[in-house]
Amino acid sequence: MANCTVIPVPALSDNYMYLIVDNETKQAAAVDPVDIDAIQKAAVDNGATINTILTTHNHWDHSGGNLKLVKAVSSIDRVYGGIGDDVPGCTHEVGDGDTFKIGTNTTVKVLFTPCHTQGHVCYHVDDAHVFTGDTMFVSGAGNFNTGTPAQMTEAFDKILGLPESTNVWVGHEYTAKNCAFACFCEPNNEEIKKRLEWAKGQGSIHSGGKGTIPSTIAMEKACNPFARIDHLSVMDFCGPCDDRSERMRLVRKGKDDWGKMA
């Protein structure tokens, strides 16, 4: 039996928050709780008590609810954020390999993944789930913003090193557009074509659809061009280039340029 249950909670126009509930104690962590009313309702509906906030990074649409939620929910005594990321209300700054628990049985391990912000972190939970914020999306990656292609390459390597069955819970519902670019990048990848049609059919939870989360590490390896920089088809898209970080940069540039045309 799994030690925890993950409940996705849509927010704003395309954000995802999550409630991670320790099944034995019903103690819970709220991941990026920007909409405090919605996350509190999810806790009540599932008989859970929020005592922890997990913040992937400091952008307002992920961390903007922290202070309000702490004020509204007296049981919250821990707010986690990445080292140097200046997360609002943070009580515990964490770095690569740090571990802690939600309730008695749900273990969390931190992956330090700076690039989108200088202290971005992902949370690997119960050896079964990873919450990737704005580092990895379904078939995509976050903007590099404060970081470098080498940092994003290292971040993806860490995430992709998890077991292939790991559920990937992302920060935004961007899947259909990401898959459209992935098809442009790898026009002969049949798995990506199937995934694009599937994503279109699923729609967004935010507008009454089913949504596309979670993904898995195995699926990202098959359908995410940022995870496939060592595959020949993506290398062909990038042109002659032996450096992995440069290929990551070229895929990012390709996505940005494609987005201006799409």
Side-chain angles (χ1 to χ4, degrees):
M1 179 180 175
N3 290 322
C4 69
T5 300
V6 177
I7 299 139
V9 184
L12 306 177
S13 63
D14 53 38
N15 278 69
Y16 281 117
M17 311 181 290
Y18 299 96
L19 194 69
I20 306 169
V21 182
D22 180 68
N23 289 333
E24 181 175 326
T25 63
K26 293 297 182 180
Q27 293 179 356
V31 181
D32 291 348
V34 63
D35 183 338
I36 72 166
D37 292 334
I39 203 74
Q40 287 180 91
K41 183 179 185 302
V44 170
D45 290 348
N46 289 276
T49 300
I50 302 173
N51 66 0
T52 302
I53 294 174
L54 305 183
T55 314
T56 60
H57 64 291
N58 65 18
H59 288 168
W60 75 269
D61 59 324
H62 295 260
S63 66
N66 285 6
L67 296 176
K68 294 177 183 178
L69 190 60
V70 169
K71 185 176 180 179
V73 180
S74 61
S75 55
I76 296 175
D77 58 9
R78 294 177 293 164
V79 178
Y80 290 93
I83 292 172
D85 212 43
D86 296 326
V87 166
C90 185
T91 62
H92 293 67
E93 283 199 336
V94 288
D96 204 51
D98 286 344
T99 60
F100 53 90
K101 286 189 174 182
I102 302 164
T104 57
N105 293 322
T106 303
T107 299
V108 181
K109 183 176 181 179
V110 177
L111 306 179
F112 192 57
T113 54
C115 184
H116 186 70
T117 64
Q118 63 185 1
H120 192 296
V121 291
C122 300
Y123 298 98
H124 183 211
V125 177
D126 199 30
D127 291 326
H129 310 277
V130 63
F131 297 83
T132 58
D134 285 4
T135 291
M136 177 183 285
F137 297 129
V138 181
S139 290
N143 292 321
F144 296 179
N145 292 339
T146 63
T148 65
Q151 285 181 314
M152 189 60 81
T153 303
E154 182 178 356
F156 262 65
D157 286 346
K158 287 180 183 179
I159 297 168
L160 295 170
L162 299 174
E164 292 198 342
S165 60
T166 304
N167 290 314
V168 179
W169 303 93
V170 302
H172 292 269
E173 180 57 64
Y174 292 158
T175 305
K177 187 172 183 179
N178 286 344
C179 288
F181 168 71
C183 286
F184 175 76
C185 180
E186 294 187 80
N188 296 317
N189 186 324
E190 294 301 322
E191 285 298 316
I192 293 177
K193 293 177 184 178
K194 291 176 185 177
R195 195 176 213 198
L196 173 59
E197 293 309 310
W198 171 80
K200 289 178 179 177
Q202 290 293 105
S204 170
I205 292 176
H206 303 73
S207 55
K210 296 179 180 179
T212 61
I213 52 170
S215 183
T216 64
I217 295 297
M219 187 58 74
E220 293 312 300
K221 287 181 176 180
C223 296
N224 188 329
F226 295 91
R228 294 172 55 79
I229 58 173
D230 297 324
H231 288 254
L232 286 176
S233 51
V234 176
M235 294 172 77
D236 287 343
F237 176 80
C238 293
C241 178
D242 293 330
D243 183 82
R244 298 180 71 239
S245 297
E246 178 62 7
R247 292 200 295 273
M248 179 66 81
R249 185 191 73 82
L250 289 167
V251 173
R252 177 73 264 171
K253 182 180 185 301
K255 173 79 171 357
D256 294 342
D257 292 345
W258 172 88
K260 295 172 184 177
M261 298 183 296

